[in-house]
Amino acid sequence: MDLNNIDKALQNVTGRDFLAAEREARQQGDQTLSIALSSQFQITLLAHAIKVPVEDIEALPIKDFVQVLGKVNAFLFAQE
């Protein structure tokens, strides 16, 4: 899994990808009111973006896991 291209992969995410990741996270039992704040949703969205199973991201060492969550968070909440 190439974690160096996360930013580029996220640029190609669509609303359809967002909704699919939300659906998947909700099916896993995620009840976060604002889905974009959910770590489960964020890793699911990232998995779709970089085309890997969610389990691959979940298996990352904690330091890498938190780093990739930070990148997804920054992407979702970037202010222009």
Side-chain angles (χ1 to χ4, degrees), residues 5-75:
N5 293 321
I6 289 173
D7 297 323
K8 185 177 180 180
L10 289 170
Q11 294 301 320
N12 296 320
V13 170
T14 65
R16 187 172 290 119
D17 297 323
F18 186 101
L19 293 172
E22 178 180 15
R23 207 169 18 258
E24 197 171 319
R26 297 287 188 208
Q27 288 173 347
Q28 294 294 321
D30 193 317
Q31 297 179 6
T32 306
L33 290 179
S34 177
I35 197 66
L37 297 174
S38 162
S39 296
Q40 184 66 48
F41 165 77
Q42 291 179 12
I43 65 168
T44 302
L45 185 65
L46 178 59
H48 285 255
I50 62 174
K51 297 174 178 36
V52 300
V54 172
E55 295 79 17
D56 287 2
I57 298 170
E58 291 174 337
L60 289 170
I62 190 66
K63 185 176 178 182
D64 294 335
F65 182 82
V66 171
Q67 183 179 16
V68 298
L69 276 180
K71 289 184 178 202
V72 176
N73 217 326
F75 170 76

